[in-house]
Amino acid sequence: MTTNDRQLHLNLFLMGVGHHEAAWRHPFTDPARLSDIAHFQDLARKAEEAAFDSVFLADGLEVRSPVQYGLVNHFEPLTLLSAIAAVTTRIGVIGTASTGYSEPFNLARQFASLDHLSHGRAGWNIVTSAGDRAAQNFSRDANQAHAERYARAAEFLEVTQALWDSWEDGALVLDRESGAYADPSKVHEINHSGTYFRVRGPLNVPRSPQGRPLLVQAGSSEDGKAFAARYAEAVFTAQQTLRDAQAFYQDLKRRAAAHGRDPEGLKVLPGIVPVIGSTEAEARALDRELNELITPQRAVAVLSTTLGVDLTDHPLDAPLPPLPPVSAVNGAKSRFELIRDLAEREGLTLRQLIGRLGGGRGHQVFAGTPEQIADFIEGWFREGAADGFNVMPPVLPAGLDAFVDHVLPLLRKRGLFREGYTGSTLREHYGLPLPAEEAVAA
């Protein structure tokens, strides 16, 4: 595929009533809809009408900030995505699930079920879960070390894939006359015995429409990039500059090739928070309105958790205090580095930093006209920084409406985004083949 033939992949990142942390306080949103399943179904239908590749739900296993100041997760992703799949027919449904607080058999079964329910539209965003608060919800005092989390995740995924492959294509016979339900020669125990897991198998769900749901990953640390290069088919990432995005893109593609993979089989999708106005001044005014609604106590608490440094009593109008080296961080290393580099590069005070992070938690926030946002997207796409974008509207549904109505037509006019779907499965949307027949467990 030549550069001119490439087309953007666009994923809609669903986040409550908007990605800005103060979205629920803005008059463009209705916070009562956070617990309304119809809200999320409506958003997914709009994204499907616009031919987005997929919708995506993040997840956490703990309350991350003081509840009096902000939102907590309302729905478990696979439950919500099942409800979304029931009212859509083409758009992919990608859910986050942690390898740190589940078992391979459970997750293999859940995602195979979602792939069947959606007729081949399921994807799994694989996370290891950072921080100790989640661990303390699962009878542990603290989380595992960063490297160990990824070692566990690698074995977890190997077992999960073996379970998905434990039913070969054509294993179901369903011959009522002979009484043959399945061909036992095509259904296999996996008999895995490793460092972290012992699993007999086979899975009690037949092979799903995609063979294996799409594998997505979002970590950008060294361990995260190594994991993504080996396993992931799409990567959700965060960079603040074109140069950093290009370096990440090239590094990940090179690593994938070193594993014998086709680099085109790994799609890199940075996050973008498009704050859209009919004029640049209007867009900047909306961005400013949202930032003025940030509750500093909440933002500082979240930042303290992310950085592993208690900033509760730190002056808001002073620069960050000295931070520990990244080698000492056991949480999200890549996000720690992004925030540290942003603060140092632009000389931000704590107040300025929480304002910059309020829109997208480290993802690129771009306030401008539809033409300016389309220019930004095209620039990163054509200059080797992205295969598409994880679109993160600051307010919902208004931010999605603005993107679909005003930015997408420009991208289509430039030949960068399709007019409609050409396939029916999530793998087809991303231009990825089904797992090869020979990859099925023997």
Side-chain angles (χ1 to χ4, degrees):
M1 182 177 291
T2 68
T3 300
N4 290 334
D5 291 331
R6 291 174 66 227
Q7 292 220 323
L8 286 160
H9 296 286
L10 295 179
N11 172 76
L12 174 62
F13 187 166
L14 295 175
M15 177 68 76
V17 292
H19 277 271
H20 197 286
E21 69 172 74
W24 69 279
R25 299 183 64 193
H26 196 276
F28 282 177
T29 69
D30 178 4
R33 301 210 72 189
L34 285 162
S35 297
D36 181 2
I37 194 70
H39 167 66
F40 296 93
Q41 291 174 322
D42 290 345
L43 293 171
R45 280 189 287 245
K46 288 180 181 180
E48 183 171 66
E49 289 171 5
F52 274 66
D53 294 71
S54 47
V55 294
F56 161 61
L57 287 170
D59 193 34
L61 299 172
E62 74 280 356
V63 175
R64 294 179 179 174
S65 63
V67 295
Q68 68 267 39
Y69 299 127
L71 306 177
V72 297
N73 293 329
H74 280 254
F75 290 114
E76 185 279 321
L78 292 180
T79 305
L80 178 52
L81 289 174
S82 296
I84 286 173
V87 298
T88 55
T89 59
R90 305 293 286 278
I91 195 164
V93 286
I94 301 173
T96 299
S98 174
T99 60
Y101 302 105
S102 188
E103 291 288 324
F105 192 93
N106 288 345
L107 281 191
R109 186 186 189 198
Q110 289 169 321
F111 277 100
S113 297
L114 181 61
D115 204 43
H116 277 290
L117 186 154
S118 63
H119 303 290
R121 295 184 282 136
W124 173 21
N125 178 45
I126 306 161
V127 299
T128 65
S129 296
D132 294 336
R133 289 185 68 98
Q136 291 157 9
N137 288 331
F138 291 86
S139 304
R140 306 178 196 173
D141 293 328
N143 205 352
Q144 295 172 308
H146 190 273
E148 186 175 7
R149 295 203 305 271
Y150 274 98
R152 175 188 166 96
E155 185 180 335
F156 192 112
L157 185 54
E158 295 284 354
V159 176
T160 303
Q161 290 179 316
L163 287 167
W164 285 332
D165 292 347
S166 65
W167 286 72
E168 295 185 31
D169 291 327
L172 279 179
V173 178
L174 304 179
D175 187 335
R176 289 186 289 187
E177 184 175 341
S178 68
Y181 180 81
D183 181 347
S185 70
K186 293 185 177 183
V187 183
H188 314 282
E189 294 182 357
I190 68 169
N191 294 314
H192 175 88
S193 181
T195 303
Y196 301 99
F197 305 106
R198 287 185 295 121
V199 181
R200 179 176 176 176
L203 194 64
N204 60 351
V205 179
R207 192 161 177 81
S208 71
Q210 294 187 108
R212 299 174 182 176
L214 187 81
L215 298 178
V216 184
Q217 195 265 351
S220 299
S221 66
E222 284 302 307
D223 288 330
K225 288 188 288 187
F227 185 90
R230 184 177 177 187
Y231 298 111
E233 294 160 307
V235 171
F236 297 152
T237 185
Q239 279 87 38
Q240 285 289 313
T241 69
L242 174 62
R243 179 177 295 180
D244 286 347
Q246 289 170 322
F248 178 87
Y249 184 94
Q250 294 163 8
D251 183 36
L252 204 58
K253 299 281 185 170
R254 176 188 59 77
R255 290 174 187 243
H259 281 286
R261 300 181 58 193
D262 178 0
E264 288 298 315
L266 175 57
K267 308 300 183 185
V268 178
L269 307 175
I272 180 173
V273 182
V275 185
I276 303 169
S278 58
T279 65
E280 185 176 346
E282 183 180 298
R284 293 190 179 280
L286 174 58
D287 190 42
R288 187 168 55 252
E289 287 173 14
L290 287 163
N291 286 342
E292 288 172 353
L293 293 173
I294 292 174
T295 304
Q297 295 95 321
R298 178 187 187 275
V300 169
V302 172
L303 184 59
S304 296
T305 299
T306 303
L307 296 179
V309 175
D310 187 358
L311 300 170
T312 305
D313 297 321
H314 191 75
L316 285 172
D317 295 310
L320 289 179
L323 299 178
V326 69
S327 59
V329 174
N330 193 39
K333 289 180 181 286
S334 58
R335 195 55 52 92
F336 173 94
E337 290 183 293
L338 184 151
I339 293 171
R340 178 202 62 196
D341 294 347
L342 172 63
E344 292 178 355
R345 182 173 60 248
E346 301 190 16
L348 302 178
T349 65
L350 177 56
R351 189 189 304 276
Q352 291 169 329
L353 181 60
I354 61 176
R356 288 292 298 275
L357 297 175
R361 305 171 304 284
H363 291 278
Q364 182 72 234
V365 177
F366 192 98
T369 64
E371 291 79 8
Q372 289 172 322
I373 290 169
D375 288 345
F376 175 87
I377 289 173
E378 181 175 8
W380 277 41
F381 179 64
R382 293 203 184 279
E383 294 179 44
D387 293 308
F389 284 86
N390 208 12
V391 180
M392 306 165 59
V395 291
L396 287 167
L400 175 60
D401 292 338
F403 188 88
V404 168
D405 293 343
H406 302 294
V407 178
L408 274 190
L410 298 174
L411 297 176
R412 288 188 168 119
K413 186 176 181 180
R414 300 177 191 192
L416 296 174
F417 191 63
R418 59 175 170 254
E419 293 289 341
Y421 293 108
T422 57
S424 59
T425 71
L426 180 54
R427 287 183 172 278
E428 289 173 331
H429 300 340
Y430 279 96
L432 299 172
L434 295 176
E437 186 74 27
E438 58 267 23
V440 177

